[in-house]
Amino acid sequence: LMKIYPTQYNQIFILRCTRTQKESAGTNSMISYHQETKIFKLDTQTTTYMMGIADNKYLGHIYYGKKLEYQDLSYMLRTQEHPFVPSKLSREKLSFLDSFPMEYPFSGTGDFRESCIDIRDKNGQSGLELLYAGHRIYDGKDKLQGLPAVWGEGCQTLEIALEDVCAGIRVRLSYSVFEDCDALMRSVKVENIGTDAVYLERVLSACLEMDDEDFEIISLSGAWARERHIKRQPLLSGSFVTESVRGESSHQDHPFLAAVSQNCTQTCGDVYAMHFVYSGNFLAKAQRTQFGSLRMVLGIHPDRFCWKLGAGESFQAPEAVLVYSDAGLGKMSRTLHDLYRNHLIRSSYKDKERPVLINNWEATYFDFDTEKLIEIAKQSAALGIEMLVMDDGWFGHRENDDSSLGDWIVNEEKLPGGLKYLVDEVNKLGMKFGIWFEPEMISPDSKLYEERPDWALHLKGRAPSRAREQLVLDLSRPEVVDYIYDSISNILRSANIEYVKWDMNRALADIGSDALAPDQQGELSHRYMLAVYELQERLITEFPDLLLENCSSGGARFDPGMLYYSPQIWCSDDTDAIERLMIQEGTQLLYPMSTIGAHVSDCPNHAIGRVTPFETRGITALAGTFGYELDITKISEQERNMVPGQIAAYKKYAPLIREGDYYRIASYRENHKYDCYEIVSKDRSQAAVFFVQVMHEPSAKSRKVKLQGLSEHAVYEVDGRQYTGAALMYAGLLRERMYGDFQAEVIEVHQVSDRTE
Ligand code: DGJ
């Protein structure tokens, strides 16, 4: 018996089975709707997420946490207490709107807390009241038009429609869960179902409402060469904001926010995390309300965002990933790592060993020619390095960073015989060849700028501000996107190029376009991001075997959005082994190690001048896609002799690093003495522990290191001695102090039998 529930705009939301009280997709459903109680329930492997409809129209957040059997938890919406629901006490509707745990909060009509959506209508007025209009549950997950998003099999999606008939706005909230993953994916699509254009002034992607639990907030922040340091702070009142308005996810902040219980460590406590699958401007905000509850929101930054939505048009906001962990930060990290490895990265390199590369940036900067590169390649090949990457400076007349961006023509004075000759020579040595581009930029000193100065982002009548003497191309213009694509693809077709480093070295400012109408200038930053995604999509579609590495002045665009296109991202321009401990710890908190670009560079370190042992630099670089960034023709004999051993270590640990589970054991950021993390194979039969003693302490006893993630009853061998998993995890290992600062070692753990008996 199917019943039709007519709503004015109903298309797909019309069928509701009246026989069963529960409605779900698939046989082993992870999503259900309980009609009697009007509750939606979504289950992942260990978590449950619940929403309910109150007063027949308001969608409220009920629960996110440890997995629960279905039960009517609608009392959590507190509709039986003052101010009740509007149908019971209409005189206090405003108080209701300002205290109800709204699943997707709207503003202008009475909820004074942080909202997720704002529009301006033809009267120039704002204000929405989004009410439940229907839902559907289906197997699979629809693509997000033009945007990176989690994908894959074994997935179900719940789509809930909210409508404001007066404003002519429908919002579709999507929630997807995967059988093999503990995260929840959310996205939002806004449709103009009215007859007039409206202006979207804010469309965030997710909100999470939580009761008063005195959470602390964890975020990642930093600066150039100091990206993604972990920060933790209480939130007693007011708001905590982490954001970017720089047109990129940025060095300074990261599109991530977590609320954690005060007892939260790596192994225990509650974590509620939100991570944004987007590479541009973002806002992540946690707000403590007057009732002590916490509202967390995440989405495209509303500053200078304004999207004109014509009648019948829709706007797709990017995806947010939500993770709840009942076992501390470690479980959150492993959930995100598995999600990104299995359901976000698409490159064929995802499960393959990456070639050990040598990049000439810190070796030569702009001062190189074919002869120099071939000499580097020869000596590298002899040591076992597998790919030469030619960085900045090979095109136009670029002898420094003052010119030529946009003129993607090989400089034959530097590279006589052209690119093909160089690449062939490198290939003859048995090495692959990779190349650097900075496609989104234009130098005022370039042929392109001479011809098309209007292609640079600029505000009318104002000279745009330069950064590193460069301007940003207006990617909202399709002809600019085509020009960039043709420039890159022509180069890639001209020789056997197997790797591209896609760089982006300045923030966006002077955000204006000659090609957009005055009332669409607020769309530019998001249109820019969509164009970057379109360009990278075209690139990997035409060159499916290309290994693409994203980069942005180091790690200013290290975000989940980029991982959809490139399996690895350059982590930071700071290659100092000790600085990298903190940068990589913050990056590992969210990202699998196989995505983290990490290289051994020369000393004194070019970014900070520190001298560390070559061996320690090698061990630190193992925490990612291993490579070198130094002049191999100039390093000492002793260091050169260590290279083959480092490459062998990388090859040995690469499968573990690519596929294993990550456990953080100690943090140099916290203890100021040493750093330690462990990778355990999924079957728990082997592990590698990466230990860096940053400060040598005289007169100190050996250090106890407690491992994690092993099988309690299995027997493991470490340094020729046998231990049970339980002994290694609960009693720990003892490590001799190493002599001197900045010493490092890798401890290998192998299972020798299943059980103690
Ligand atoms: C910034 C990158 O992070 C560096 O690795 C290098 O490619 C330079 N740009 C080149 O200009």
Side-chain angles (χ1 to χ4, degrees):
L1 285 175
M2 306 302 269
K3 188 170 168 188
I4 297 187
Y5 284 70
T7 76
Q8 191 179 349
Y9 305 105
N10 241 331
Q11 296 146 7
I12 54 169
F13 299 101
I14 51 176
L15 299 177
R16 202 96 31 92
C17 180
T18 54
R19 255 197 195 145
T20 55
Q21 291 181 348
K22 181 177 149 186
E23 193 192 307
S24 51
T27 37
N28 290 324
S29 197
M30 298 175 279
I31 302 179
S32 54
Y33 174 63
H34 301 262
Q35 206 166 306
E36 268 186 6
T37 51
K38 296 190 170 57
I39 285 181
F40 296 97
K41 179 171 185 280
L42 297 97
D43 291 319
T44 68
Q45 290 165 333
T46 71
T47 75
T48 290
Y49 190 97
M50 266 193 205
M51 296 164 272
I53 303 165
D55 213 13
N56 274 324
K57 47 189 180 187
Y58 298 103
L59 184 68
H61 180 76
I62 293 179
Y63 174 78
Y64 189 27
K66 249 184 150 122
K67 196 164 187 166
L68 297 179
E69 290 292 310
Y70 171 73
Q71 190 182 328
D72 180 4
L73 297 187
S74 55
Y75 60 88
M76 283 298 187
L77 295 173
R78 295 191 171 94
T79 52
Q80 302 306 322
E81 59 190 72
H82 193 271
F84 303 101
V85 289
S87 66
K88 258 196 186 166
L89 191 64
S90 63
R91 56 169 274 143
E92 296 304 346
K93 179 172 170 187
L94 194 141
S95 297
F96 167 80
L97 291 175
D98 198 29
S99 59
F100 185 70
M102 221 45 102
E103 180 63 21
Y104 191 69
F106 41 83
S107 65
T109 49
D111 184 348
F112 298 104
R113 296 162 292 176
E114 196 67 20
S115 93
C116 276
I117 180 163
D118 263 336
I119 62 143
R120 190 163 35 86
D121 63 20
K122 65 168 185 207
N123 305 312
Q125 296 177 342
S126 306
L128 277 173
E129 191 175 7
L130 289 167
L131 308 179
Y132 171 76
H135 71 270
R136 66 174 175 139
I137 300 170
Y138 62 96
D139 287 333
K141 177 174 189 284
D142 290 345
K143 278 194 162 186
L144 267 60
Q145 187 65 40
L147 285 166
V150 165
W151 52 271
E153 302 291 309
C155 166
Q156 286 174 352
T157 300
L158 163 67
E159 189 178 283
I160 302 178
L162 307 176
E163 286 177 9
D164 182 325
V165 177
C166 177
I169 289 292
R170 179 193 290 141
V171 171
R172 294 179 193 266
L173 307 179
S174 288
Y175 300 78
S176 299
V177 285
F178 285 81
E179 273 161 11
D180 63 352
C181 171
D182 234 1
L184 179 87
M185 272 52 69
R186 290 182 60 169
S187 65
V188 174
K189 191 172 182 174
V190 183
E191 296 167 356
N192 182 345
I193 53 176
T195 48
D196 299 296
V198 295
Y199 294 90
L200 295 176
E201 295 191 319
R202 163 189 291 245
V203 189
L204 304 191
S205 295
C207 172
L208 208 47
E209 290 266 356
M210 281 172 300
D211 250 14
D212 170 13
E213 291 183 29
D214 280 338
F215 288 109
E216 293 180 345
I217 301 295
I218 293 187
S219 62
L220 300 178
S221 66
W224 173 77
R226 185 164 39 82
E227 298 91 338
R228 290 176 298 287
H229 279 216
I230 299 173
K231 306 279 164 60
R232 181 169 174 164
Q233 50 204 291
L235 180 57
L236 302 176
S237 64
S239 297
F240 172 87
V241 172
T242 181
E243 64 189 338
S244 168
V245 288
R246 295 165 189 269
E248 54 185 357
S249 43
S250 89
H251 297 103
Q252 288 75 10
D253 284 6
H254 193 76
F256 164 81
L257 189 65
V260 303
S261 55
Q262 286 176 6
N263 67 343
C264 178
T265 64
Q266 282 295 320
T267 52
C268 78
D270 290 315
V271 181
Y272 294 89
M274 291 175 134
H275 204 189
F276 201 25
V277 188
Y278 189 62
S279 314
N281 294 341
F282 72 89
L283 171 71
K285 190 162 179 175
Q287 185 183 42
R288 199 81 195 256
T289 74
Q290 59 181 323
F291 305 108
S293 60
L294 191 71
R295 178 176 274 185
M296 285 164 75
V297 296
L298 175 67
I300 292 181
H301 206 300
D303 273 13
R304 291 197 192 84
F305 171 85
C306 181
W307 194 276
K308 181 179 182 184
L309 203 63
E313 289 179 353
S314 62
F315 177 84
Q316 176 65 61
E319 186 160 82
V321 172
L322 268 58
V323 174
Y324 164 72
S325 160
D326 62 344
L329 290 166
K331 183 176 172 191
M332 175 205 72
S333 298
R334 291 185 290 281
T335 299
L336 287 171
H337 294 184
D338 285 344
L339 176 74
Y340 296 156
R341 284 191 286 213
N342 301 330
H343 295 291
L344 184 61
I345 301 170
R346 297 176 295 169
S347 162
S348 62
Y349 273 96
K350 177 163 81 85
D351 305 313
K352 281 198 283 190
E353 191 178 294
R354 317 289 158 82
V356 174
L357 66 80
I358 183 156
N359 178 304
N360 74 311
W361 178 241
E362 287 196 23
T364 65
Y365 295 101
F366 295 95
D367 184 16
F368 64 88
D369 56 18
T370 298
E371 203 185 325
K372 176 72 192 169
L373 292 178
I374 291 178
E375 191 48 38
I376 291 178
K378 266 190 194 144
Q379 296 204 21
S380 302
L383 296 171
I385 297 174
E386 297 160 315
M387 180 161 75
L388 174 76
V389 175
M390 177 172 68
D391 211 280
D392 195 352
W394 55 266
F395 52 94
H397 57 278
R398 191 159 164 97
E399 297 301 336
N400 51 41
D401 55 14
D402 280 350
S403 83
S404 303
L405 293 168
D407 297 346
W408 299 106
I409 312 282
V410 176
N411 178 345
E412 296 227 10
E413 274 172 36
K414 267 182 168 176
L415 306 180
L419 200 54
K420 174 102 175 70
Y421 171 75
L422 171 63
V423 177
D424 287 349
E425 289 303 301
V426 171
N427 285 169
K428 277 186 212 159
L429 295 166
M431 290 181 91
K432 294 174 188 284
F433 185 88
I435 198 167
W436 176 99
F437 286 99
E438 194 177 357
E440 300 156 58
M441 299 293 152
I442 180 166
S443 302
D445 177 5
S446 67
K447 286 209 179 76
L448 182 65
Y449 193 74
E450 258 172 44
E451 286 164 23
R452 300 307 308 244
D454 56 324
W455 279 14
L457 290 179
H458 63 279
L459 300 171
K460 274 217 172 354
R462 193 184 292 278
S465 301
R466 301 177 184 193
R468 208 192 190 201
E469 189 55 21
Q470 65 198 53
L471 301 173
V472 184
L473 281 167
D474 176 1
L475 301 193
S476 71
R477 299 172 76 141
E479 66 274 27
V480 176
V481 172
D482 286 342
Y483 171 84
I484 295 174
Y485 188 72
D486 291 343
S487 307
I488 304 174
S489 56
N490 284 338
I491 294 283
L492 295 188
R493 282 185 220 111
S494 74
N496 182 28
I497 297 170
E498 298 179 74
Y499 162 107
V500 164
K501 177 174 174 185
W502 181 302
D503 203 351
M504 191 266 194
N505 284 305
R506 60 158 289 177
L508 271 54
D510 302 286
I511 317 268
S513 165
D514 286 356
L516 283 174
D519 63 350
Q520 289 188 288
Q521 296 288 326
E523 299 175 13
L524 190 45
S525 297
H526 183 58
R527 282 183 184 272
Y528 180 93
M529 243 10 278
L530 291 176
V532 171
Y533 292 145
E534 182 199 322
L535 275 165
Q536 297 205 355
E537 186 71 38
R538 280 166 76 175
L539 196 65
I540 58 174
T541 306
E542 183 179 344
F543 304 96
D545 297 325
L546 185 76
L547 174 55
L548 182 62
E549 174 155 354
N550 268 290
C551 168
S552 178
S553 293
R557 223 158 47 180
F558 203 122
D559 56 63
M562 287 283 115
L563 284 186
Y564 190 63
Y565 305 93
S566 67
Q568 60 195 56
I569 305 173
W570 183 229
C571 183
S572 174
D573 276 346
D574 198 329
T575 50
D576 170 66
I578 304 308
E579 282 299 310
R580 274 284 180 134
L581 294 177
M582 291 166 291
I583 297 169
Q584 291 178 183
E585 182 196 356
T587 312
Q588 289 163 335
L589 182 73
L590 309 179
Y591 298 94
M593 287 173 39
S594 61
T595 64
I596 301 175
H599 297 167
V600 177
S601 64
D602 209 358
C603 274
N605 179 269
H606 293 193
I608 68 154
R610 181 158 27 214
V611 176
T612 52
F614 197 70
E615 194 181 0
T616 301
R617 281 175 262 159
I619 290 177
T620 310
L622 283 175
T625 62
F626 189 78
Y628 291 86
E629 181 129 354
L630 41 69
D631 189 344
I632 202 96
T633 67
K634 290 195 182 143
I635 59 173
S636 72
E637 207 48 37
Q638 199 194 6
E639 290 176 345
R640 202 189 319 276
N641 290 340
M642 292 167 81
V643 170
Q646 290 182 330
I647 293 174
Y650 164 69
K651 302 256 172 200
K652 181 154 97 181
Y653 301 126
L656 196 57
I657 286 173
R658 209 171 48 241
E659 294 153 19
D661 285 334
Y662 164 83
Y663 293 87
R664 169 61 52 178
I665 295 180
S667 159
Y668 164 60
R669 176 184 52 85
E670 282 171 357
N671 63 35
H672 308 296
K673 289 179 184 159
Y674 70 104
D675 198 80
C676 185
Y677 65 89
E678 179 194 11
I679 309 291
V680 183
S681 61
K682 287 276 177 197
D683 67 0
R684 302 183 184 207
S685 67
Q686 40 169 328
V689 181
F690 298 80
F691 184 94
V692 181
Q693 174 186 288
V694 180
M695 304 297 287
H696 176 54
E697 286 170 280
S699 299
K701 284 189 175 290
S702 58
R703 186 175 297 289
K704 182 155 69 178
V705 177
K706 289 184 179 178
L707 305 194
Q708 296 178 39
L710 303 175
S711 299
E712 281 189 359
H713 298 291
V715 179
Y716 295 88
E717 193 170 283
V718 184
D719 295 336
R721 204 183 142 171
Q722 296 198 347
Y723 306 79
T724 61
L728 288 173
M729 291 192 291
Y730 311 137
L733 276 174
L734 291 182
R735 303 311 294 172
E736 289 285 310
R737 300 287 169 148
M738 293 174 270
Y739 183 70
D741 294 344
F742 316 137
Q743 304 299 312
E745 62 172 337
V746 183
I747 306 161
E748 292 184 7
V749 182
H750 296 285
Q751 185 180 315
V752 288
S753 86
D754 273 0
R755 304 206 56 84
T756 18
E757 303 79 66

